Amino acid sequence: MKRLLIFQLLFTLHASPVFAWGSASMGGGAGLTCSWGSNVVVNGTFTGNANNWTLGAGWAYTANTVQSTGDGTLSQTVSVSASQIWRISYDIPTYLAGTVTVSIGGTNGTARSSSGTHTEDITASGAGNLIFTPAVGANFTLDNVTARLWTCE
């Protein structure tokens, strides 16, 4: 357990994590192998519906995506604990206005204001769900949401 906590501290201190891509083994006799776990998001492709998601005010399901035209949140229940490191990825196929910020475990990612695929690594500060929060007046679509936990064994 001490090795895992030390690794998480070292990982958090680096702006560009050394082991963020694929899997890695820690040197120094630690004997740990680390990698991104399986995607925990259910229906992140919004295929046929927005089941398993809570759509707040201004969110609507539209042809295998969800669209935000308001300032309510989009969320999904995910089991998160403090100090866990999560890789969140999502597409914004259509962008018209405003920003959207993803958060997990009470920690915000970067406010995004462009179409494309966005990926970021977020260290949770506590328990909390996967949440997308648009700015007032934001207008965009969202698709292909994934969340993977960094795990070491």
Side-chain angles (χ1 to χ4, degrees), residues 51-77:
N51 290 352
N52 301 103
W53 291 91
T54 302
L55 281 68
W59 285 92
Y61 171 78
T62 60
N64 297 326
T65 65
V66 288
Q67 182 175 11
S68 173
T69 58
D71 61 350
T73 61
L74 171 74
S75 64
Q76 187 169 111
T77 302

Side-chain angles (χ1 to χ4, degrees), residues 8-132:
Q8 286 181 331
L9 175 63
L10 292 173
F11 186 92
T12 303
L13 294 175
H14 288 31
S16 296
V18 175
F19 304 115
W21 302 276
S23 63
S25 295
M26 293 185 61
L32 293 176
T33 299
C34 302
S35 64
W36 294 110
S38 299
N39 177 27
V40 299
V41 173
V42 179
N43 193 21
T45 58
F46 304 99
T47 302
N49 56 54
N51 290 352
N52 301 103
W53 291 91
T54 302
L55 281 68
W59 285 92
Y61 171 78
T62 60
N64 297 326
T65 65
V66 288
Q67 182 175 11
S68 173
T69 58
D71 61 350
T73 61
L74 171 74
S75 64
Q76 187 169 111
T77 302
V78 177
S79 179
V80 178
S81 299
S83 301
Q84 289 181 329
I85 302 166
W86 290 86
R87 173 159 287 175
I88 310 300
S89 181
Y90 56 95
D91 293 341
I92 299 177
T94 304
Y95 170 80
L96 298 174
T99 62
V100 62
T101 304
V102 65
S103 65
I104 192 165
T107 304
N108 289 337
T110 302
R112 304 294 182 169
S113 59
S114 64
S115 61
T117 299
H118 303 282
T119 302
E120 50 195 300
D121 300 337
I122 299 173
T123 302
S125 60
N129 295 323
L130 176 64
I131 302 170
F132 289 88

